[in-house]
Amino acid sequence: MRERRTPEQLSVTELERLLYEKKRAERHRRLQRLKAAGRLVEVAGRPPANASPPPLHQPAIKAGGVMRHYTLITEEETAVPPPPPATTPSWRQHLNRFL
């Protein structure tokens, strides 16, 4: 008998596989219950449900909320030059000279 592991000890792919198996077993139980009740219609020529999970598409990670305003600089990228210093308005320069 296999030793049960906590979800924190499982990898993402193992968690995805377990979730797929759980959903598949529940779908199979539901279809069997509908078939026993006479509410399931089988279509000739239709292939059976997948026995193994389909490959998952890995979406591109996009920052949302507040994090969309920040960018991550990797080592491969060149360092971004610092922004130019803020200029003082001309009226303030004249006021400083006057004082």
Side-chain angles (χ1 to χ4, degrees):
M1 197 165 166
R2 289 191 341 190
E3 188 177 320
R4 290 187 59 121
R5 297 188 307 185
T6 62
E8 290 81 17
Q9 294 173 334
L10 297 173
S11 69
V12 173
T13 54
E14 290 172 326
L15 288 171
E16 288 172 345
R17 183 182 49 79
L18 288 172
L19 181 62
Y20 181 80
E21 289 174 2
K22 182 179 177 181
K23 286 183 177 182
R24 185 172 178 267
E26 180 61 35
R27 182 173 52 245
H28 183 69
R29 279 194 298 270
R30 188 184 69 230
L31 290 175
Q32 291 300 323
R33 188 181 72 241
L34 291 173
K35 190 175 187 178
R39 296 180 59 195
L40 181 67
V41 177
E42 298 210 14
V43 178
R46 184 177 176 151
N50 291 339
S52 62
L56 297 175
H57 170 68
Q58 295 293 333
I61 299 173
K62 293 176 119 180
V66 175
M67 293 305 293
R68 72 175 178 271
H69 298 293
Y70 296 96
T71 57
L72 177 66
I73 299 175
T74 60
E75 293 175 3
E76 295 89 29
E77 296 176 355
T78 59
V80 177
T87 58
T88 308
S90 62
W91 63 270
R92 178 154 274 186
Q93 288 176 349
H94 294 296
L95 182 62
N96 287 340
R97 287 183 193 156
F98 177 71
L99 295 176

